[in-house]
Amino acid sequence: MLHELQQAMAEALLSADAAGDSAANRLIRGGKLDANRRLEVYRYNVMHNLRGALADIFPVVNRIVGDAFFRHAADQFILATPSLSGDLNQFGREWPAFLAGYAHAADLPYLADVARLEWAWHECFHAADAAPFDLARLAAVDAGAHGGLVFRLHPAVRLLASAFPLLRIWQVNQDDFKGDQRIDWQQEGDALLVRRDAGDGTGAGVGVVIQCLPEGAWRFLCALRERGSLERATAAALEADSGFDLQGFLRESVQSGVIIDFARD
């Protein structure tokens, strides 16, 4: 009986037509409010909370399209993609893909990528922490074996490529942005590194950093993300940029916490 009621409630709350003679209506006792009215109140709260969660995670998308557009799109998304977790931080993963196919956003071809960037930011902010790179452990490995090592990226690192000037779009749509808001739509797209910044190391000032990467550095980190060895990652980087500075970029990536560990291939 309980399972039947829970299933009926879920269907009624996330239905485009909540009113009427649903299974939930027949299972809910009336009182001062009849069953249908009780469902309407509950449904309003569910939709409001899920819509609010999306707005919190995707403020730039909201700013670009406006509240009315965002609300309508969010309602359609919620009905089509019910939350599978009680943690609202997990809700919204499919939002970028939804926007990519959303007919009303066809005139904003960059919008889905903006949502992808915001989700990457969100994931980095909430990702697990990790111990810093153990340089002494690396020093104990024979230099001749370094090419076969597989370096691991921090859990709070995401790599994102777009055909649009994504970082510029994100920057000019921040509440504290001051300056020229014009965007050059003819410029090349971005290859972005999104990572969590540890601040001063005490927990103060922790935030998320978004930075554009040169092609060589982008290919290098993408190869590491796919568990490629240092040798294969370096080859991919040099193919894109013959001047790629392996030692410099590797040192920078370790110091910034982008690379945190290694294993043998």
Side-chain angles (χ1 to χ4, degrees), residues 11-59:
E11 292 175 354
L13 294 174
L14 296 175
S15 169
D17 181 14
D21 184 27
S22 68
N25 287 74
R26 296 190 295 273
L27 291 169
I28 295 175
R29 293 180 180 178
K32 292 183 178 180
L33 298 177
D34 63 24
N36 190 57
R37 179 56 181 154
R38 289 188 178 203
L39 277 175
E40 286 180 358
V41 172
Y42 201 168
R43 184 174 188 268
Y44 172 85
N45 290 332
V46 170
M47 296 293 288
H48 176 79
N49 289 338
L50 292 176
R51 196 185 302 124
L54 289 177
D56 287 344
I57 297 171
F58 302 98

mmCIF file of all heavy atoms in Angstrom, residues 11-59:
data_model
loop_
_atom_site.group_PDB
_atom_site.id
_atom_site.type_symbol
_atom_site.label_atom_id
_atom_site.label_comp_id
_atom_site.label_asym_id
_atom_site.label_seq_id
_atom_site.Cartn_x
_atom_site.Cartn_y
_atom_site.Cartn_z
ATOM 1 N N GLU A 11 3.920 10.418 -9.380
ATOM 2 C CA GLU A 11 3.328 10.653 -10.695
ATOM 3 C C GLU A 11 2.449 11.903 -10.693
ATOM 4 O O GLU A 11 2.447 12.683 -11.647
ATOM 5 C CB GLU A 11 2.518 9.426 -11.120
ATOM 6 C CG GLU A 11 3.376 8.204 -11.410
ATOM 7 C CD GLU A 11 2.541 6.971 -11.699
ATOM 8 O OE1 GLU A 11 1.293 7.050 -11.557
ATOM 9 O OE2 GLU A 11 3.124 5.924 -12.054
ATOM 10 N N ALA A 12 1.717 12.110 -9.606
ATOM 11 C CA ALA A 12 0.825 13.263 -9.525
ATOM 12 C C ALA A 12 1.600 14.565 -9.376
ATOM 13 O O ALA A 12 1.250 15.585 -9.965
ATOM 14 C CB ALA A 12 -0.151 13.098 -8.366
ATOM 15 N N LEU A 13 2.674 14.536 -8.592
ATOM 16 C CA LEU A 13 3.433 15.756 -8.336
ATOM 17 C C LEU A 13 4.241 16.202 -9.540
ATOM 18 O O LEU A 13 4.480 17.398 -9.725
ATOM 19 C CB LEU A 13 4.373 15.542 -7.141
ATOM 20 C CG LEU A 13 3.697 15.328 -5.789
ATOM 21 C CD1 LEU A 13 4.740 14.981 -4.733
ATOM 22 C CD2 LEU A 13 2.912 16.561 -5.374
ATOM 23 N N LEU A 14 4.663 15.252 -10.363
ATOM 24 C CA LEU A 14 5.496 15.584 -11.514
ATOM 25 C C LEU A 14 4.758 15.305 -12.811
ATOM 26 O O LEU A 14 5.329 14.832 -13.787
ATOM 27 C CB LEU A 14 6.808 14.804 -11.455
ATOM 28 C CG LEU A 14 7.699 15.159 -10.255
ATOM 29 C CD1 LEU A 14 8.909 14.263 -10.211
ATOM 30 C CD2 LEU A 14 8.107 16.625 -10.302
ATOM 31 N N SER A 15 3.491 15.625 -12.810
ATOM 32 C CA SER A 15 2.675 15.478 -14.005
ATOM 33 C C SER A 15 2.330 16.854 -14.541
ATOM 34 O O SER A 15 2.138 17.813 -13.784
ATOM 35 C CB SER A 15 1.386 14.717 -13.686
ATOM 36 O OG SER A 15 0.486 14.786 -14.772
ATOM 37 N N ALA A 16 2.281 16.975 -15.854
ATOM 38 C CA ALA A 16 1.915 18.263 -16.449
ATOM 39 C C ALA A 16 0.491 18.638 -16.100
ATOM 40 O O ALA A 16 0.112 19.804 -16.129
ATOM 41 C CB ALA A 16 2.081 18.187 -17.974
ATOM 42 N N ASP A 17 -0.319 17.665 -15.751
ATOM 43 C CA ASP A 17 -1.709 17.910 -15.366
ATOM 44 C C ASP A 17 -1.936 17.277 -14.002
ATOM 45 O O ASP A 17 -2.256 16.102 -13.891
ATOM 46 C CB ASP A 17 -2.662 17.319 -16.408
ATOM 47 C CG ASP A 17 -4.129 17.578 -16.054
ATOM 48 O OD1 ASP A 17 -4.370 18.436 -15.170
ATOM 49 O OD2 ASP A 17 -5.004 16.937 -16.644
ATOM 50 N N ALA A 18 -1.727 18.068 -12.939
ATOM 51 C CA ALA A 18 -1.808 17.517 -11.584
ATOM 52 C C ALA A 18 -3.237 17.351 -11.106
ATOM 53 O O ALA A 18 -3.513 16.607 -10.180
ATOM 54 C CB ALA A 18 -1.050 18.432 -10.611
ATOM 55 N N ALA A 19 -4.151 18.081 -11.715
ATOM 56 C CA ALA A 19 -5.541 18.010 -11.272
ATOM 57 C C ALA A 19 -6.224 16.797 -11.869
ATOM 58 O O ALA A 19 -5.724 16.142 -12.761
ATOM 59 C CB ALA A 19 -6.278 19.280 -11.684
ATOM 60 N N GLY A 20 -7.418 16.513 -11.335
ATOM 61 C CA GLY A 20 -8.187 15.436 -11.933
ATOM 62 C C GLY A 20 -8.236 14.204 -11.077
ATOM 63 O O GLY A 20 -7.771 14.177 -9.939
ATOM 64 N N ASP A 21 -8.757 13.168 -11.661
ATOM 65 C CA ASP A 21 -8.994 11.935 -10.919
ATOM 66 C C ASP A 21 -7.774 11.032 -11.029
ATOM 67 O O ASP A 21 -7.791 10.016 -11.722
ATOM 68 C CB ASP A 21 -10.246 11.250 -11.485
ATOM 69 C CG ASP A 21 -10.600 10.008 -10.668
ATOM 70 O OD1 ASP A 21 -10.261 9.982 -9.470
ATOM 71 O OD2 ASP A 21 -11.197 9.093 -11.249
ATOM 72 N N SER A 22 -6.685 11.407 -10.354
ATOM 73 C CA SER A 22 -5.465 10.603 -10.397
ATOM 74 C C SER A 22 -5.537 9.520 -9.331
ATOM 75 O O SER A 22 -6.385 9.540 -8.434
ATOM 76 C CB SER A 22 -4.236 11.479 -10.144
ATOM 77 O OG SER A 22 -4.241 11.944 -8.818
ATOM 78 N N ALA A 23 -4.600 8.572 -9.408
ATOM 79 C CA ALA A 23 -4.533 7.514 -8.399
ATOM 80 C C ALA A 23 -4.267 8.102 -7.026
ATOM 81 O O ALA A 23 -4.788 7.637 -6.014
ATOM 82 C CB ALA A 23 -3.446 6.510 -8.779
ATOM 83 N N ALA A 24 -3.436 9.168 -6.977
ATOM 84 C CA ALA A 24 -3.136 9.792 -5.697
ATOM 85 C C ALA A 24 -4.375 10.425 -5.085
ATOM 86 O O ALA A 24 -4.585 10.358 -3.868
ATOM 87 C CB ALA A 24 -2.037 10.843 -5.886
ATOM 88 N N ASN A 25 -5.217 11.051 -5.911
ATOM 89 C CA ASN A 25 -6.454 11.644 -5.398
ATOM 90 C C ASN A 25 -7.304 10.612 -4.659
ATOM 91 O O ASN A 25 -7.877 10.889 -3.606
ATOM 92 C CB ASN A 25 -7.280 12.223 -6.551
ATOM 93 C CG ASN A 25 -6.677 13.486 -7.112
ATOM 94 O OD1 ASN A 25 -5.677 13.430 -7.817
ATOM 95 N ND2 ASN A 25 -7.274 14.630 -6.813
ATOM 96 N N ARG A 26 -7.360 9.424 -5.211
ATOM 97 C CA ARG A 26 -8.219 8.390 -4.636
ATOM 98 C C ARG A 26 -7.637 7.784 -3.375
ATOM 99 O O ARG A 26 -8.345 7.168 -2.589
ATOM 100 C CB ARG A 26 -8.464 7.295 -5.683
ATOM 101 C CG ARG A 26 -9.229 7.785 -6.910
ATOM 102 C CD ARG A 26 -9.656 6.632 -7.803
ATOM 103 N NE ARG A 26 -8.531 5.934 -8.396
ATOM 104 C CZ ARG A 26 -7.940 6.283 -9.531
ATOM 105 N NH1 ARG A 26 -8.363 7.368 -10.188
ATOM 106 N NH2 ARG A 26 -6.930 5.597 -10.011
ATOM 107 N N LEU A 27 -6.312 7.967 -3.153
ATOM 108 C CA LEU A 27 -5.659 7.385 -1.991
ATOM 109 C C LEU A 27 -5.502 8.369 -0.839
ATOM 110 O O LEU A 27 -5.170 7.970 0.278
ATOM 111 C CB LEU A 27 -4.274 6.851 -2.389
ATOM 112 C CG LEU A 27 -4.277 5.617 -3.302
ATOM 113 C CD1 LEU A 27 -2.884 5.354 -3.841
ATOM 114 C CD2 LEU A 27 -4.798 4.397 -2.549
ATOM 115 N N ILE A 28 -5.715 9.655 -1.098
ATOM 116 C CA ILE A 28 -5.524 10.681 -0.075
ATOM 117 C C ILE A 28 -6.858 11.045 0.565
ATOM 118 O O ILE A 28 -7.845 11.285 -0.136
ATOM 119 C CB ILE A 28 -4.874 11.934 -0.693
ATOM 120 C CG1 ILE A 28 -3.460 11.603 -1.182
ATOM 121 C CG2 ILE A 28 -4.821 13.071 0.328
ATOM 122 C CD1 ILE A 28 -2.788 12.734 -1.916
ATOM 123 N N ARG A 29 -6.885 11.088 1.875
ATOM 124 C CA ARG A 29 -8.090 11.477 2.592
ATOM 125 C C ARG A 29 -8.294 12.983 2.524
ATOM 126 O O ARG A 29 -7.350 13.750 2.630
ATOM 127 C CB ARG A 29 -8.004 11.058 4.053
ATOM 128 C CG ARG A 29 -8.004 9.556 4.269
ATOM 129 C CD ARG A 29 -7.917 9.247 5.745
ATOM 130 N NE ARG A 29 -7.914 7.806 6.002
ATOM 131 C CZ ARG A 29 -7.811 7.277 7.210
ATOM 132 N NH1 ARG A 29 -7.695 8.064 8.267
ATOM 133 N NH2 ARG A 29 -7.821 5.968 7.358
ATOM 134 N N GLY A 30 -9.513 13.380 2.378
ATOM 135 C CA GLY A 30 -9.848 14.791 2.383
ATOM 136 C C GLY A 30 -9.998 15.323 3.801
ATOM 137 O O GLY A 30 -9.972 14.584 4.776
ATOM 138 N N GLY A 31 -10.151 16.611 3.928
ATOM 139 C CA GLY A 31 -10.334 17.264 5.213
ATOM 140 C C GLY A 31 -10.831 18.664 4.929
ATOM 141 O O GLY A 31 -11.733 18.865 4.115
ATOM 142 N N LYS A 32 -10.226 19.657 5.585
ATOM 143 C CA LYS A 32 -10.561 21.036 5.255
ATOM 144 C C LYS A 32 -10.225 21.342 3.799
ATOM 145 O O LYS A 32 -10.872 22.164 3.150
ATOM 146 C CB LYS A 32 -9.823 21.994 6.187
ATOM 147 C CG LYS A 32 -10.290 21.936 7.628
ATOM 148 C CD LYS A 32 -9.569 22.963 8.475
ATOM 149 C CE LYS A 32 -10.072 22.929 9.917
ATOM 150 N NZ LYS A 32 -9.372 23.929 10.769
ATOM 151 N N LEU A 33 -9.175 20.663 3.307
ATOM 152 C CA LEU A 33 -8.817 20.733 1.886
ATOM 153 C C LEU A 33 -9.074 19.369 1.273
ATOM 154 O O LEU A 33 -8.723 18.342 1.850
ATOM 155 C CB LEU A 33 -7.343 21.101 1.712
ATOM 156 C CG LEU A 33 -6.893 22.464 2.254
ATOM 157 C CD1 LEU A 33 -5.397 22.629 2.066
ATOM 158 C CD2 LEU A 33 -7.646 23.602 1.567
ATOM 159 N N ASP A 34 -9.676 19.365 0.097
ATOM 160 C CA ASP A 34 -9.897 18.072 -0.547
ATOM 161 C C ASP A 34 -8.575 17.518 -1.069
ATOM 162 O O ASP A 34 -7.536 18.190 -1.077
ATOM 163 C CB ASP A 34 -10.943 18.175 -1.652
ATOM 164 C CG ASP A 34 -10.531 19.099 -2.797
ATOM 165 O OD1 ASP A 34 -9.313 19.304 -2.996
ATOM 166 O OD2 ASP A 34 -11.428 19.616 -3.488
ATOM 167 N N ALA A 35 -8.596 16.277 -1.529
ATOM 168 C CA ALA A 35 -7.365 15.600 -1.944
ATOM 169 C C ALA A 35 -6.657 16.352 -3.063
ATOM 170 O O ALA A 35 -5.427 16.482 -3.069
ATOM 171 C CB ALA A 35 -7.691 14.176 -2.382
ATOM 172 N N ASN A 36 -7.428 16.855 -4.033
ATOM 173 C CA ASN A 36 -6.819 17.534 -5.168
ATOM 174 C C ASN A 36 -6.103 18.815 -4.727
ATOM 175 O O ASN A 36 -5.006 19.124 -5.177
ATOM 176 C CB ASN A 36 -7.880 17.863 -6.225
ATOM 177 C CG ASN A 36 -7.267 18.353 -7.513
ATOM 178 O OD1 ASN A 36 -6.438 17.669 -8.119
ATOM 179 N ND2 ASN A 36 -7.647 19.541 -7.942
ATOM 180 N N ARG A 37 -6.728 19.570 -3.803
ATOM 181 C CA ARG A 37 -6.127 20.808 -3.324
ATOM 182 C C ARG A 37 -4.864 20.509 -2.530
ATOM 183 O O ARG A 37 -3.869 21.233 -2.613
ATOM 184 C CB ARG A 37 -7.141 21.570 -2.470
ATOM 185 C CG ARG A 37 -6.626 22.879 -1.886
ATOM 186 C CD ARG A 37 -6.106 23.801 -2.959
ATOM 187 N NE ARG A 37 -5.595 25.038 -2.371
ATOM 188 C CZ ARG A 37 -4.666 25.791 -2.921
ATOM 189 N NH1 ARG A 37 -4.112 25.425 -4.083
ATOM 190 N NH2 ARG A 37 -4.267 26.908 -2.338
ATOM 191 N N ARG A 38 -4.877 19.453 -1.749
ATOM 192 C CA ARG A 38 -3.689 19.075 -0.990
ATOM 193 C C ARG A 38 -2.531 18.743 -1.945
ATOM 194 O O ARG A 38 -1.386 19.128 -1.702
ATOM 195 C CB ARG A 38 -3.999 17.871 -0.106
ATOM 196 C CG ARG A 38 -4.916 18.196 1.066
ATOM 197 C CD ARG A 38 -5.044 17.021 2.018
ATOM 198 N NE ARG A 38 -5.887 17.355 3.167
ATOM 199 C CZ ARG A 38 -5.840 16.730 4.321
ATOM 200 N NH1 ARG A 38 -4.994 15.731 4.502
ATOM 201 N NH2 ARG A 38 -6.634 17.093 5.320
ATOM 202 N N LEU A 39 -2.847 18.032 -2.999
ATOM 203 C CA LEU A 39 -1.810 17.715 -3.980
ATOM 204 C C LEU A 39 -1.267 18.975 -4.649
ATOM 205 O O LEU A 39 -0.069 19.085 -4.910
ATOM 206 C CB LEU A 39 -2.367 16.776 -5.053
ATOM 207 C CG LEU A 39 -2.386 15.291 -4.713
ATOM 208 C CD1 LEU A 39 -3.079 14.515 -5.825
ATOM 209 C CD2 LEU A 39 -0.968 14.770 -4.530
ATOM 210 N N GLU A 40 -2.130 19.932 -4.923
ATOM 211 C CA GLU A 40 -1.699 21.174 -5.555
ATOM 212 C C GLU A 40 -0.708 21.929 -4.669
ATOM 213 O O GLU A 40 0.289 22.470 -5.149
ATOM 214 C CB GLU A 40 -2.910 22.055 -5.862
ATOM 215 C CG GLU A 40 -3.758 21.576 -7.033
ATOM 216 C CD GLU A 40 -4.947 22.487 -7.277
ATOM 217 O OE1 GLU A 40 -5.112 23.462 -6.509
ATOM 218 O OE2 GLU A 40 -5.701 22.240 -8.235
ATOM 219 N N VAL A 41 -0.979 21.972 -3.369
ATOM 220 C CA VAL A 41 -0.089 22.656 -2.440
ATOM 221 C C VAL A 41 1.272 21.960 -2.393
ATOM 222 O O VAL A 41 2.335 22.601 -2.463
ATOM 223 C CB VAL A 41 -0.710 22.706 -1.030
ATOM 224 C CG1 VAL A 41 0.299 23.241 -0.015
ATOM 225 C CG2 VAL A 41 -1.966 23.575 -1.036
ATOM 226 N N TYR A 42 1.221 20.657 -2.282
ATOM 227 C CA TYR A 42 2.456 19.871 -2.222
ATOM 228 C C TYR A 42 3.242 20.020 -3.532
ATOM 229 O O TYR A 42 4.464 20.198 -3.535
ATOM 230 C CB TYR A 42 2.105 18.404 -1.974
ATOM 231 C CG TYR A 42 3.219 17.563 -1.401
ATOM 232 C CD1 TYR A 42 2.960 16.289 -0.911
ATOM 233 C CD2 TYR A 42 4.533 18.016 -1.351
ATOM 234 C CE1 TYR A 42 3.969 15.490 -0.396
ATOM 235 C CE2 TYR A 42 5.547 17.240 -0.837
ATOM 236 C CZ TYR A 42 5.269 15.989 -0.367
ATOM 237 O OH TYR A 42 6.269 15.208 0.143
ATOM 238 N N ARG A 43 2.530 19.947 -4.635
ATOM 239 C CA ARG A 43 3.177 20.059 -5.937
ATOM 240 C C ARG A 43 3.826 21.429 -6.105
ATOM 241 O O ARG A 43 4.938 21.533 -6.634
ATOM 242 C CB ARG A 43 2.158 19.829 -7.055
ATOM 243 C CG ARG A 43 2.748 19.836 -8.465
ATOM 244 C CD ARG A 43 1.666 19.460 -9.475
ATOM 245 N NE ARG A 43 2.213 19.271 -10.798
ATOM 246 C CZ ARG A 43 2.290 20.236 -11.719
ATOM 247 N NH1 ARG A 43 1.862 21.461 -11.430
ATOM 248 N NH2 ARG A 43 2.798 19.981 -12.914
ATOM 249 N N TYR A 44 3.154 22.469 -5.654
ATOM 250 C CA TYR A 44 3.722 23.817 -5.741
ATOM 251 C C TYR A 44 5.057 23.885 -5.000
ATOM 252 O O TYR A 44 6.046 24.452 -5.504
ATOM 253 C CB TYR A 44 2.751 24.847 -5.166
ATOM 254 C CG TYR A 44 3.348 26.229 -5.045
ATOM 255 C CD1 TYR A 44 3.349 27.104 -6.127
ATOM 256 C CD2 TYR A 44 3.934 26.646 -3.845
ATOM 257 C CE1 TYR A 44 3.921 28.364 -6.021
ATOM 258 C CE2 TYR A 44 4.510 27.896 -3.734
ATOM 259 C CZ TYR A 44 4.497 28.756 -4.826
ATOM 260 O OH TYR A 44 5.074 29.995 -4.719
ATOM 261 N N ASN A 45 5.101 23.310 -3.794
ATOM 262 C CA ASN A 45 6.330 23.339 -3.009
ATOM 263 C C ASN A 45 7.455 22.562 -3.676
ATOM 264 O O ASN A 45 8.612 23.001 -3.685
ATOM 265 C CB ASN A 45 6.071 22.787 -1.608
ATOM 266 C CG ASN A 45 5.222 23.712 -0.767
ATOM 267 O OD1 ASN A 45 5.242 24.923 -0.966
ATOM 268 N ND2 ASN A 45 4.467 23.154 0.170
ATOM 269 N N VAL A 46 7.133 21.406 -4.235
ATOM 270 C CA VAL A 46 8.146 20.601 -4.919
ATOM 271 C C VAL A 46 8.707 21.360 -6.114
ATOM 272 O O VAL A 46 9.931 21.469 -6.294
ATOM 273 C CB VAL A 46 7.554 19.248 -5.366
ATOM 274 C CG1 VAL A 46 8.517 18.515 -6.297
ATOM 275 C CG2 VAL A 46 7.249 18.375 -4.152
ATOM 276 N N MET A 47 7.836 21.902 -6.947
ATOM 277 C CA MET A 47 8.280 22.640 -8.129
ATOM 278 C C MET A 47 9.078 23.875 -7.734
ATOM 279 O O MET A 47 10.106 24.189 -8.347
ATOM 280 C CB MET A 47 7.078 23.025 -8.988
ATOM 281 C CG MET A 47 6.310 21.859 -9.577
ATOM 282 S SD MET A 47 7.264 20.934 -10.819
ATOM 283 C CE MET A 47 7.259 22.125 -12.177
ATOM 284 N N HIS A 48 8.622 24.555 -6.708
ATOM 285 C CA HIS A 48 9.311 25.762 -6.250
ATOM 286 C C HIS A 48 10.730 25.436 -5.786
ATOM 287 O O HIS A 48 11.696 26.153 -6.124
ATOM 288 C CB HIS A 48 8.516 26.404 -5.112
ATOM 289 C CG HIS A 48 9.182 27.610 -4.510
ATOM 290 N ND1 HIS A 48 9.154 28.848 -5.104
ATOM 291 C CD2 HIS A 48 9.917 27.756 -3.369
ATOM 292 C CE1 HIS A 48 9.822 29.720 -4.366
ATOM 293 N NE2 HIS A 48 10.295 29.079 -3.303
ATOM 294 N N ASN A 49 10.880 24.368 -5.018
ATOM 295 C CA ASN A 49 12.195 23.997 -4.501
ATOM 296 C C ASN A 49 13.140 23.556 -5.622
ATOM 297 O O ASN A 49 14.321 23.932 -5.633
ATOM 298 C CB ASN A 49 12.061 22.886 -3.462
ATOM 299 C CG ASN A 49 11.434 23.380 -2.170
ATOM 300 O OD1 ASN A 49 11.451 24.569 -1.872
ATOM 301 N ND2 ASN A 49 10.853 22.464 -1.405
ATOM 302 N N LEU A 50 12.640 22.754 -6.558
ATOM 303 C CA LEU A 50 13.487 22.293 -7.655
ATOM 304 C C LEU A 50 13.852 23.447 -8.585
ATOM 305 O O LEU A 50 14.986 23.548 -9.061
ATOM 306 C CB LEU A 50 12.778 21.182 -8.434
ATOM 307 C CG LEU A 50 12.595 19.862 -7.681
ATOM 308 C CD1 LEU A 50 11.798 18.882 -8.516
ATOM 309 C CD2 LEU A 50 13.939 19.260 -7.294
ATOM 310 N N ARG A 51 12.896 24.308 -8.841
ATOM 311 C CA ARG A 51 13.164 25.483 -9.680
ATOM 312 C C ARG A 51 14.209 26.380 -9.015
ATOM 313 O O ARG A 51 15.113 26.908 -9.665
ATOM 314 C CB ARG A 51 11.869 26.245 -9.904
ATOM 315 C CG ARG A 51 11.916 27.257 -11.036
ATOM 316 C CD ARG A 51 10.630 28.052 -11.090
ATOM 317 N NE ARG A 51 9.462 27.193 -11.272
ATOM 318 C CZ ARG A 51 8.425 27.197 -10.440
ATOM 319 N NH1 ARG A 51 8.414 27.983 -9.375
ATOM 320 N NH2 ARG A 51 7.388 26.425 -10.682
ATOM 321 N N GLY A 52 14.078 26.548 -7.688
ATOM 322 C CA GLY A 52 15.048 27.348 -6.950
ATOM 323 C C GLY A 52 16.438 26.740 -6.969
ATOM 324 O O GLY A 52 17.438 27.460 -7.053
ATOM 325 N N ALA A 53 16.508 25.416 -6.903
ATOM 326 C CA ALA A 53 17.812 24.742 -6.958
ATOM 327 C C ALA A 53 18.493 25.005 -8.295
ATOM 328 O O ALA A 53 19.701 25.265 -8.353
ATOM 329 C CB ALA A 53 17.634 23.242 -6.735
ATOM 330 N N LEU A 54 17.729 24.936 -9.374
ATOM 331 C CA LEU A 54 18.296 25.215 -10.695
ATOM 332 C C LEU A 54 18.776 26.660 -10.792
ATOM 333 O O LEU A 54 19.855 26.939 -11.340
ATOM 334 C CB LEU A 54 17.265 24.938 -11.787
ATOM 335 C CG LEU A 54 16.912 23.479 -12.054
ATOM 336 C CD1 LEU A 54 15.811 23.395 -13.113
ATOM 337 C CD2 LEU A 54 18.144 22.701 -12.516
ATOM 338 N N ALA A 55 17.993 27.586 -10.277
ATOM 339 C CA ALA A 55 18.376 29.001 -10.335
ATOM 340 C C ALA A 55 19.648 29.256 -9.532
ATOM 341 O O ALA A 55 20.480 30.092 -9.921
ATOM 342 C CB ALA A 55 17.232 29.872 -9.823
ATOM 343 N N ASP A 56 19.825 28.560 -8.420
ATOM 344 C CA ASP A 56 21.022 28.728 -7.598
ATOM 345 C C ASP A 56 22.269 28.197 -8.305
ATOM 346 O O ASP A 56 23.359 28.771 -8.180
ATOM 347 C CB ASP A 56 20.859 28.001 -6.260
ATOM 348 C CG ASP A 56 19.890 28.716 -5.329
ATOM 349 O OD1 ASP A 56 19.591 29.894 -5.566
ATOM 350 O OD2 ASP A 56 19.404 28.067 -4.374
ATOM 351 N N ILE A 57 22.125 27.102 -9.028
ATOM 352 C CA ILE A 57 23.265 26.478 -9.690
ATOM 353 C C ILE A 57 23.586 27.152 -11.018
ATOM 354 O O ILE A 57 24.753 27.215 -11.423
ATOM 355 C CB ILE A 57 22.996 24.974 -9.912
ATOM 356 C CG1 ILE A 57 22.834 24.269 -8.562
ATOM 357 C CG2 ILE A 57 24.124 24.317 -10.710
ATOM 358 C CD1 ILE A 57 22.360 22.829 -8.683
ATOM 359 N N PHE A 58 22.574 27.689 -11.692
ATOM 360 C CA PHE A 58 22.758 28.259 -13.031
ATOM 361 C C PHE A 58 22.352 29.742 -13.083
ATOM 362 O O PHE A 58 21.498 30.142 -13.878
ATOM 363 C CB PHE A 58 21.942 27.458 -14.050
ATOM 364 C CG PHE A 58 22.294 25.997 -14.098
ATOM 365 C CD1 PHE A 58 21.531 25.057 -13.417
ATOM 366 C CD2 PHE A 58 23.398 25.555 -14.810
ATOM 367 C CE1 PHE A 58 21.848 23.706 -13.457
ATOM 368 C CE2 PHE A 58 23.728 24.209 -14.858
ATOM 369 C CZ PHE A 58 22.962 23.288 -14.174
ATOM 370 N N PRO A 59 22.976 30.593 -12.261
ATOM 371 C CA PRO A 59 22.586 32.009 -12.240
ATOM 372 C C PRO A 59 22.892 32.747 -13.535
ATOM 373 O O PRO A 59 22.175 33.694 -13.890
ATOM 374 C CB PRO A 59 23.389 32.576 -11.063
ATOM 375 C CG PRO A 59 24.574 31.666 -10.938
ATOM 376 C CD PRO A 59 24.054 30.305 -11.287
#
